[in-house]
Amino acid sequence: MAKIIYTHTDEAPMLATYSFLPIVATYAKTAGVEVETRDISLAGRIISQFPERLLPEQRIDDALAELGELATKPEANIIKLPNVSASLPQLKAAIKELQGKGYDLPDYPENPQTAEDKDARAKYDKVKGSAVNPVLREGNSDRRAPGAVKNYARSHPHSMGAWSSDSKTNVATMGAHDFRSNEKSVVIESDDTLSIVHVATDGTETVLKDSLPVLAGEVVDGTFMSVAALRRFLTEQIARAKSEGVLFSVHLKATMMKVSDPIIFGHVVQSFFPTLFEQYGEQLAAAGISPGDGLGGLLDAVSALPEGDAIKQAVAQGIADGPALAMVDSDKGITNLHVPSDVIVDASMPAMIRTSGHMWGPDGQEADTLAVIPDSSYAGIFQTVIDDCRANGAFDPSTMGSVPNVGLMAKAAEEYGSHDKTFEASAAGRIEVRNGAGAVLIEHDVEPGDIWRACQTKDEPIRDWVKLAVTRARASGAPAIFWLDESRAHDAILIAKVNTYLADHDTSGLDITIAKPADACATSIERIRRGEDTISVTGNVLRDYNTDLFPILELGTSAKMLSIVPLMNGGGLFETGAGGSAPKHVQQLVKENYLRWDSLGEFFALAASFEHLAAYDDNQRAKILSDTLDRATETFLNEDRSPGRKLGTIDNRGSHFYLALYWAEELAEQTEDAELADAFASLAGALRDNEQKIVDELLAVQGKPADIGGYYEPEDELATAVMRPSATFNEVLASL
């Protein structure tokens, strides 16, 4: 029987699955397609690491490892929902919840000394950060707005804040002594095993990584950020924000860049509160309180210290003395510096640009902002968009074009594969990358605390990326720009490879060029203001940035994008959009039994999954399910059945009912398979006849608290009851 693997993930997407998956499984069965789930949630990943400590009934398999293996096979058909890329505070919170549920899990070892602690730390570090995506992404990314979504956005434009020509909003970035400026890059000539070694000034050698397998043609980079330069830069920007009267904000990705960016975030916290750390730094360190956990974790932890009240006063004084801080939640006093995972650059920057270049200040009002992005690798694209909006005003979603993306990400390409090769220099000296014969390929002089990292980009994914770019340019007719900078070490090598591999394809009649990221961004903006589309062909980090930046400006959200990953060995991975607002949605559900999460991305991913399955398995009914689902989704949009924003309107569960209704009606009306049409005619009729009753049952539960039995690991029975509250809908669906 043909299979679709549906991932069980976290937060709002996971809760939505309790409602939507029964519909998917019921409809899929009519085409002989089985839908199975695999638990790759943060809780599930944690539990799978410690089977020896758990009761037999508590143990679960390592579903992520299983799916990683499946992704290398041609039969793979995986629908991947957004998952938590856990920051350290999130990881600790999940561990605490699971311990409270009776799981015998160790605490996260901050400073592991024993072999047992080191083993536990290694297992938790496998789970921390973006542990899922590098495992599953055995292909490159094809991400674009489906036609139905783009048409809807043009006829129902989302709100955009007006821009002023005298806006003081800007990006601040280092430009020197950072990852971009210190980068060195080499191409590996033959299969080898590299090592990374720290050589202290007295000659003492410490092996940081003893085995780094590489393949012929692979690109290996090494770079570092000077912590002294970082601290000078941060001090200057804090003073600049105060002088200019704008909010101070920092934009990192402490989830995906789970080693380097939490360290950088910690330096931001220390730089903003210099007096606090001068006075109490030793006490905080002795208590195991890390600035990398954020101001929120610090304030929670110091309550137990004798100096707790004085430290809290020093924090309050630091806030008073510094520039106004951008806020995550001004009502609750949660600042930009409270939690490292609260302000994620790829989502936070386009949201700021969409809102007149404003973030929220401590007074609950919007204000111009200094957006601090320390590393200069890609900060320039955001400054380019800000400068354009300052000069030309806000974009118009009713007329603007689109910027689809072809992204290089397979096999943990580029910076997003660096976390197991990122180190904080323990002493002055050199960090070297050596080949198997001991020859030094890359070296950097470092000082204590400098953040050094290496990353890999295999040749096969680069070839596939170029092929995908040509394929998309041919299919769409839009020009394609490779966002690469010849003055950057890594990009210079990629430019040579791109030019070589483009020659393997028929590019006649296609407009394919290479430009620096800021220039490519400027060209793309100029074209979207004219209503024209431009394919951005980018590396892994820019893939992440661009697939939030442009969709948020065009559509109001990146969750409505079609995200296909054609796996290099023939399978398909279908991703369903971003999950950035998922925590707030869960909080609202628990408080008032209302889930605002929009599953539209799942509808598109599911249609693409059925289409892929139809081609792989020669399954005509799967193709019918795909085509009818696409038409049903267009009706869904035109009828405005996405979740409302307030109680008394349909929420996520109601949107699923309407999708099921429109899909059943499309299946009943299609003429390619009479037996299938007959089967769905009675279901469509029953759903339509009971529409008001079902909607009333779904609305009736709103306004009261909902118990799902846990945030990171809800109880299935409770979550099912909450997410499937219409007995009538459940009965009609079961009748198929």
Side-chain angles (χ1 to χ4, degrees), residues 55-72:
L55 300 172
E57 62 270 20
Q58 293 177 321
R59 296 171 190 161
I60 62 174
D61 294 333
D62 188 343
L64 180 58
E66 178 194 345
L67 290 187
E69 184 178 345
L70 176 62
T72 65

Side-chain angles (χ1 to χ4, degrees), residues 5-9 17 37-38 40 67 78-81 136:
I5 305 297
Y6 217 91
T7 58
H8 176 95
T9 58
T17 299
T37 59
R38 294 292 186 275
I40 59 169
L67 290 187
I78 304 167
I79 294 180
K80 191 262 174 187
L81 278 68
L136 298 185

